[in-house]
């Protein structure tokens, strides 16, 4: 039978049901109850990066390509990889699917996951052997903070706000990325809520992109495990360990109406991720639909 879990004063946990043995972190955090896309971390601007029609959404300069290639290796795969595997005890389940579906995924695909940990993006990239050409649409104001270089390294491309000409340049850049068979990664929950277990409502951007480019979606899930054994040397006991689950590809059918397919892709992706998270009843589903 599914078990119920009540966490602190978080109403959304009250009717959350998970399969037996599924770990639900309890680390003393409280979360918004009504706005599933609220941004919980205040921005600490260190500079002002202007994201307008003049921004280099597609930067093919030798300097940039050289910088990103080597930074990707040393920062993502070596430095952050060490952090994830050693400090966070990262495990990857389902990596054999990358070989199983190699032919289907060879021309590029879109990975999706829940957004629940500071390094969840590197975790998915490393778990799926993402190349340095992977591109990730991101919240533009984050590029004016101290992590802007890191965002560029992992393939971040700022989504322009309230600027039609800038959005045209952004879309044109992704058209080119697709033509080059790059991979994409998207967090459909939009904002990061650290260690949050329920799956929040998805925005439609990833699924519209999959339909537009006729690209497979590869759902992934960030799960957590209790910190035990030697891992207690690297962080306090209430900081959980990380597991990345890789699902099965979902293909768009471009012969069907866009609106219907976007809905189907969204719901099938949610279903896979919900199952990989071990959730049998998700509170947000009671009130929100796509």
């Amino acid at each position: 039978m599914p078990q119920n879990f009540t966490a602190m004063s978080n109403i959304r946990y009250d009717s959350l049901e998970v399969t037996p043995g599924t770990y639900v972190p309890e680390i003393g955090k409280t979360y918004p109850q009504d706005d599933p896309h609220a941004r919980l971390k205040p921005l600490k601007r260190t500079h002002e990066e202007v994201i307008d029609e003049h921004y280099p959404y597609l930067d093919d300069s030798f300097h940039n390509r050289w910088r990103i290639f080597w930074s990707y290796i040393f920062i993502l795969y070596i430095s952050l990889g060490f952090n994830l595997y050693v400090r966070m005890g990262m495990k990857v389940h389902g990596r054999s699917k990358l070989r199983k579906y190699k032919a289907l995924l060879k021309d590029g695909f879109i990975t999706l996951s829940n957004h629940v940990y500071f390094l969840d993006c590197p975790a998915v990239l490393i778990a799926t052997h993402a190349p340095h050409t992977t591109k990730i649409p991101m919240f533009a104001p984050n590029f004016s903070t101290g992590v802007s270089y890191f965002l560029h390294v992992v393939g971040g491309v700022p989504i322009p706000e309230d600027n039609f000409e800038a959005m045209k340049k952004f879309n044109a850049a992704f058209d080119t990325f697709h033509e080059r068979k790059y991979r994409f990664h998207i967090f459909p929950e939009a904002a990061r809520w650290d260690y949050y277990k329920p799956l929040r409502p998805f925005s439609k951007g990833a699924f519209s992109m999959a339909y537009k480019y006729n690209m497979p979606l590869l759902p992934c899930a960030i799960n957590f495990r209790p910190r035990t054994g030697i891992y207690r040397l690297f962080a306090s006991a209430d900081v959980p360990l990380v597991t990345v689950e890789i699902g099965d590809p979902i293909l768009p059918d471009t012969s069907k109406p866009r609106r219907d397919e976007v809905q189907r892709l969204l719901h099938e992706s949610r279903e896979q991720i919900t199952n990989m998270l071990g959730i049998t009843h998700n509170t947000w589903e009671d009130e929100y639909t796509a």
Side-chain angles (χ1 to χ4, degrees):
M1 294 291 292
Q3 62 185 29
N4 284 42
F5 182 86
T6 303
M8 308 303 176
S9 60
N10 291 302
I11 299 171
R12 293 290 172 183
Y13 280 76
D14 290 352
S15 60
L16 176 70
E17 296 179 1
V18 299
T19 56
T22 296
Y23 177 66
V24 181
E26 185 173 351
I27 57 174
K29 288 181 175 290
T30 55
Y31 306 93
Q33 311 304 324
D34 300 314
D35 182 359
H37 305 304
R39 298 189 178 276
L40 306 188
K41 299 286 185 179
L43 282 176
K44 296 181 180 179
R45 293 179 182 268
T46 58
H47 62 286
E48 191 63 37
E49 187 150 0
V50 179
I51 313 297
D52 60 12
E53 64 272 22
H54 304 296
Y55 184 85
Y57 302 101
L58 175 63
D59 187 348
D60 277 336
S61 67
F62 173 80
H63 170 76
N64 185 66
R65 289 186 288 116
W66 183 90
R67 176 177 65 102
I68 294 299
F69 177 78
W70 289 108
S71 296
Y72 199 80
I73 292 172
F74 286 104
I75 294 178
L76 179 70
Y77 275 99
I78 296 178
S79 177
L80 296 181
F82 180 85
N83 183 302
L84 285 163
Y85 280 113
V86 176
R87 182 174 178 270
M88 299 303 294
M90 186 172 80
K91 294 183 178 179
V92 180
H93 296 161
R95 190 174 267 161
S96 61
K97 294 175 183 178
L98 299 176
R99 296 189 296 273
K100 179 180 178 181
Y101 299 110
K102 183 177 180 180
L104 180 65
L105 303 174
K106 67 181 177 63
D107 291 333
F109 56 94
I110 303 172
T111 49
L112 310 167
S113 77
N114 50 330
H115 202 3
V116 289
Y117 172 53
F118 175 62
L119 296 180
D120 52 10
C121 177
V124 173
L125 297 181
I126 292 171
T128 58
H129 299 309
H132 74 283
T133 51
T134 300
K135 297 299 177 182
I136 307 168
M138 290 185 176
F139 183 55
N142 286 338
F143 287 79
S144 295
T145 69
V147 297
S148 59
Y149 183 79
F150 164 76
L151 301 183
H152 286 293
V153 167
V154 299
V157 182
I159 305 169
E161 300 178 305
D162 303 321
N163 187 321
F164 179 73
E165 291 300 319
M167 184 56 75
K168 283 172 60 178
K169 295 286 184 66
F170 174 89
N171 289 334
F174 270 85
D175 290 345
T176 301
F177 298 147
H178 172 60
E179 290 168 5
R180 295 176 180 178
K181 302 180 181 180
Y182 287 4
R183 291 191 200 176
F184 303 147
H185 176 71
I186 299 177
F187 290 110
E189 289 179 315
R192 189 182 95 235
W193 290 14
D194 289 343
Y195 310 117
Y196 192 69
K197 186 64 180 181
L199 190 63
R200 288 171 284 144
F202 284 178
S203 57
K204 297 180 181 179
F207 313 100
S208 295
M209 186 176 287
Y211 184 90
K212 175 182 179 180
Y213 295 133
N214 196 19
M215 293 178 75
L217 293 162
L218 188 68
C220 299
I222 304 293
N223 265 316
F224 297 104
R225 315 187 313 277
R227 184 168 291 270
T228 57
I230 194 172
Y231 293 111
R232 293 199 174 200
L233 297 175
F234 307 114
S236 60
D238 63 346
V239 177
L241 302 176
V242 170
T243 301
V244 181
E245 310 273 352
I246 300 175
D248 294 296
I250 302 172
L251 291 122
D253 184 348
T254 55
S255 69
K256 294 183 178 178
R258 179 190 185 101
R259 181 177 178 179
D260 294 345
E261 271 300 280
V262 167
Q263 289 289 93
R264 180 186 68 83
L265 294 170
L266 187 154
H267 286 294
E268 289 190 14
S269 297
R270 281 191 66 81
E271 182 177 15
Q272 273 206 49
I273 295 175
T274 299
N275 290 338
M276 288 189 285
L277 291 173
I279 295 172
T280 56
H281 179 260
N282 189 29
T283 313
W284 288 102
E285 303 295 349
D286 295 341
E287 301 173 32
Y288 289 80
T289 57

